[in-house]
């Protein structure tokens, strides 16, 4: 007798699948991560398990799991005998994070194919809107839309491992973008570089796309390094 395979196309089955509420460790991780990337936890501020456990009203065990994940993502680092802190946002962090981002995203650009025309057209409209907002002095839409823009080609590269590695970088990328989003000149330059990338996507030219992505991420790195070095000299 042949055993039939289970059907997974029954309408609504996914909605009826069991759902597990986020664990305490997951909730602590998400909260701490958001504080870090939004800049609510100042770099080098001493933190301790005991203080955070009291603040979250949870035991130290789930908190340790959250801290371990954040240390794996380089969003926290050891500080003192039992403490930890947010790493400083400096030249080396920008070079390290964007060096890895550039390596991964240029590889993604080389294999990004069959990007739906509708998604490309929608992104063209968003860039037009972002440009108009930048002219008004509003830089927020561009910064908030950065991941969506890069996902236009990264999401179609066909390499789940690459996408996963980029996702793990997002906490530090967001930290850097939050800092960069205060500078109009940098944002205007990044918009122009996005327009070159989108033009390559519209042309279906993967070689040009790779070069445009490489040029953009090199440009971001050099601009931010120069800004941070100037700030260091002014201290």
């Amino acid at each position: 007798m042949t055993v039939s395979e289970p059907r997974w196309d029954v309408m609504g089955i996914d909605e009826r699948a069991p759902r597990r509420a986020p664990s305490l460790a997951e909730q602590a991780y998400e909260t701490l991560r958001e504080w870090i990337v939004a800049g609510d936890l100042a770099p080098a501020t001493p933190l301790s398990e005991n203080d955070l456990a009291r603040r979250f009203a949870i035991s130290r065990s789930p908190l340790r799991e959250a801290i371990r994940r954040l240390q794996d993502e380089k969003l926290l680092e050891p500080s003192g005998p039992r403490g930890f802190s947010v790493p400083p946002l400096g030249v080396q962090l920008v070079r390290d994070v964007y060096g890895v981002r550039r390596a991964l995203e240029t590889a993604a650009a080389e294999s990004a194919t069959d990007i739906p025309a509708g998604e490309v057209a929608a992104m063209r409209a968003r860039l037009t809107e972002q440009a108009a907002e930048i002219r008004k002095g509003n830089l927020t839409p561009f910064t908030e839309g950065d991941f969506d823009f890069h996902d236009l080609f990264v999401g179609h590269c066909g390499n789940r491992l690459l996408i996963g590695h980029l996702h793990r970088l997002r906490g530090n990328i967001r930290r850097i973008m939050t800092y960069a989003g205060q500078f109009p000149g940098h944002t205007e330059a990044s918009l122009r570089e996005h327009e070159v990338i989108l033009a390559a996507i519209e042309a279906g030219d993967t070689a040009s796309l790779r070069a445009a992505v490489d040029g953009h991420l090199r440009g971001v790195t050099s601009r931010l390094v120069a800004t941070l070095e100037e700030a260091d000299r002014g201290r």
Side-chain angles (χ1 to χ4, degrees):
M1 181 176 65
T2 302
V3 178
S4 61
E5 292 291 328
R7 288 185 58 204
W8 297 107
D9 59 347
V10 179
M11 185 176 296
I13 193 171
D14 287 343
E15 287 74 11
R16 297 196 303 274
R19 295 286 188 267
R20 186 177 66 178
S23 66
L24 291 175
E26 182 70 21
Q27 292 176 58
Y29 164 80
E30 292 291 347
T31 300
L32 280 170
R33 186 176 186 275
E34 186 57 32
W35 288 352
I36 293 166
V37 300
D40 295 327
L41 285 178
T45 301
L47 302 169
S48 74
E49 288 182 6
N50 288 336
D51 289 342
L52 288 173
R54 283 194 295 269
R55 179 178 292 193
F56 292 155
I58 62 175
S59 69
R60 291 169 63 182
S61 180
L63 186 60
R64 282 182 184 142
E65 182 180 337
I67 291 168
R68 177 189 56 76
R69 289 178 62 185
L70 292 165
Q71 288 179 325
D72 286 346
E73 295 178 22
K74 307 306 180 187
L75 290 170
L76 286 176
E77 63 182 8
S79 176
R82 292 189 175 182
F84 48 91
S85 62
V86 179
L89 202 166
V91 168
Q92 195 58 51
L93 180 68
V94 170
R95 284 178 171 154
D96 289 348
V97 171
Y98 269 77
V100 176
R101 186 182 192 187
R102 181 167 56 84
L104 293 172
E105 290 202 6
T106 52
E110 288 178 341
S111 56
T113 57
D114 299 324
I115 302 174
E119 292 183 22
V120 177
M123 189 56 67
R124 173 59 69 186
R126 285 187 69 177
L127 285 191
T128 301
E129 293 169 0
Q130 289 168 4
E133 290 300 313
I134 289 172
R135 287 193 293 272
K136 297 176 188 175
N138 182 12
L139 312 182
T140 301
F142 179 85
T143 302
E144 291 182 346
D146 187 80
F147 283 140
D148 287 342
F149 179 84
H150 286 257
D151 283 346
L152 185 63
F153 60 90
V154 170
H156 292 280
C157 73
N159 187 329
R160 292 182 181 179
L161 187 61
L162 185 155
I163 294 170
H165 283 307
L166 275 170
H167 185 77
R168 283 174 56 81
L169 274 182
R170 283 200 168 183
N172 272 308
I173 293 173
R174 272 191 62 196
R175 281 190 73 201
I176 294 167
M177 289 194 308
T178 298
Y179 170 78
Q182 64 184 302
F183 302 112
H186 166 76
T187 305
E188 290 165 3
S190 294
L191 174 69
R192 291 192 295 270
E193 290 159 359
H194 277 196
E195 289 171 341
V196 174
I197 291 170
L198 190 59
I201 293 173
E202 289 168 333
D205 185 343
T206 54
S208 294
L209 175 58
R210 186 194 187 286
V213 170
D214 183 73
H216 167 51
L217 295 176
R218 286 181 184 274
V220 170
T221 303
S222 63
R223 289 191 295 272
L224 294 184
V225 165
T227 299
L228 288 163
E229 288 178 338
E230 183 178 351
D232 286 341
R233 288 193 294 271
R235 290 193 180 99

